[in-house]
Amino acid sequence: MTIRRDIAELSDKGLLKRVHGGAVTTSTLLSEPLFSVKSQMDIGLKDAIAQEAVTYVAPGDVIAIGGGTTAYVFAQHLLESQQSSGITILTNSIPVAELVQALESKDVEVIVTGGVITRSNSLVGPIADKVVASLRVNTVFLGTHSVSLPRGFLMPNSLEAATDMAMMDIADRTIILTDHTKWSCTSLSLFARFDQVDTVITDDGLDPDSASKTKELVKELVLAHQSEPTEESE
C-alpha cells in the first residue's frame, strides 16, 4: 500500500506514469512536471540566470515574458530592480501576471494573453496567439524545456511552442533563459532555431563542449555565475 501511495503521488506530480503492475518513467518528449514541482528544481541556477537577464531590460521597455519557472524567477528579480520602472509586461504566464498584480504598483503594467492553461500554468492556443500578434515588444524572454544541438529550442507542448513562436514574431530581440541541464534532455516541438535567437543566458555549469558548439550557433551566449552559498557561523 505504501508503494502504491508513492506511485500515485509521483504520478500526480507528472514524474512517472502509472501502468498495470507498476510505473514507468514519464517521457520527456511528451510531458512535463507541474509548475509547482519545477519551481523547486535548480533554484540557485535560476537565480543566477535571472540576475543576468535583468540587465537586458531598461526602464520604460515593453517586454514579453513566457511561461515556465525560470522566466518566473526572472520576473521576480526584475520587479525587485530599478530596471522595472515604467515597464509594460506582456505575458502568457499566470504566475507572472499574479506576481505583477501582487505589487499593486501603478508603475508596471501587465497584459495577459488569455488562452488554454497548460501544466506549466501557461496560456496557449489560438486565443493567446491572436492577442500576441496584435502587439509589439522590445524584447521577449522565454524559457525552454530542452536545447538540441544543432536544432534549437524545444517544448513538450506543441501549442505552447506555437505561442512562443508568436511572441518571438512580435519582438525586436529574443532572449532564451535556461539552465545547463536542458542540454541533456530532449522534447517534442521545436519553437526556435539558434539563428532566430539573439541571446542565450545559462549558467556556468554548462560543459565546455556544449558551450563551444552553442557559441558557434547563436549570436550571444552568456554564462551566469552561480554564487556560492555562505556558511552561517555556529
Side-chain angles (χ1 to χ4, degrees):
M1 288 301 297
T2 301
I3 292 174
R4 288 179 182 175
R5 284 195 296 268
D6 289 343
I7 290 176
E9 182 179 352
L10 291 170
S11 177
D12 290 341
K13 292 180 178 179
L15 299 177
L16 52 73
K17 179 180 178 181
R18 298 181 70 178
V19 296
H20 180 69
V24 295
T25 302
T26 303
S27 171
T28 58
L29 288 172
L30 300 176
S31 64
E32 60 181 324
L34 295 171
F35 184 92
S36 59
V37 176
K38 291 173 66 178
S39 63
Q40 302 302 314
M41 300 165 61
D42 303 315
I43 296 174
L45 302 181
K46 293 171 185 175
D47 279 333
I49 293 165
Q51 289 170 13
E52 189 69 40
V54 168
T55 65
Y56 286 78
V57 181
D61 271 356
V62 179
I63 67 171
I65 301 177
T69 54
T70 305
Y72 175 77
V73 174
F74 159 66
Q76 287 180 310
H77 284 272
L78 176 60
L79 294 173
E80 293 171 354
S81 73
Q82 297 297 321
Q83 307 299 102
S84 66
S85 177
I87 67 171
T88 298
I89 298 174
L90 167 68
T91 188
N92 68 325
S93 167
I94 293 175
V96 169
E98 291 176 338
L99 194 62
V100 179
Q101 185 67 18
L103 284 178
E104 298 182 354
S105 171
K106 296 180 180 179
D107 198 34
V108 179
E109 182 178 359
V110 63
I111 301 169
V112 185
T113 64
V116 179
I117 304 175
T118 69
R119 289 174 61 86
S120 61
N121 283 0
S122 299
L123 297 165
V124 302
I127 294 174
D129 298 350
K130 186 174 182 179
V131 171
V132 170
S134 67
L135 302 170
R136 190 75 189 176
V137 300
N138 301 121
T139 307
V140 59
F141 296 87
L142 298 172
T144 183
H145 187 265
S146 62
V147 182
S148 174
L149 295 168
R151 292 185 64 204
F153 306 91
L154 301 99
M155 287 289 186
N157 186 317
S158 59
L159 289 178
E160 187 164 7
T163 299
D164 283 350
M165 285 189 280
M167 287 199 282
M168 289 173 58
D169 285 342
I170 66 161
D172 297 328
R173 178 174 61 174
T174 296
I175 297 178
I176 301 292
L177 311 177
T178 181
D179 68 77
H180 74 274
T181 64
K182 304 301 173 60
W183 270 258
S184 61
C185 57
T186 187
S187 202
L188 179 68
S189 299
L190 183 75
F191 69 88
R193 302 186 311 271
F194 282 98
D195 61 3
Q196 294 175 299
V197 171
D198 296 283
T199 302
V200 175
I201 303 177
T202 186
D203 61 274
D204 57 6
L206 184 64
D207 68 271
D209 183 57
S210 295
S212 177
K213 291 178 180 177
T214 302
K215 285 180 180 178
E216 294 176 357
L217 296 168
V218 75
K219 297 174 185 176
E220 181 185 28
L221 176 65
V222 178
L223 302 179
H225 177 67
Q226 182 183 7
S227 59
E228 295 293 334
T230 57
E231 295 184 3
E232 296 182 0
S233 58
E234 296 182 2

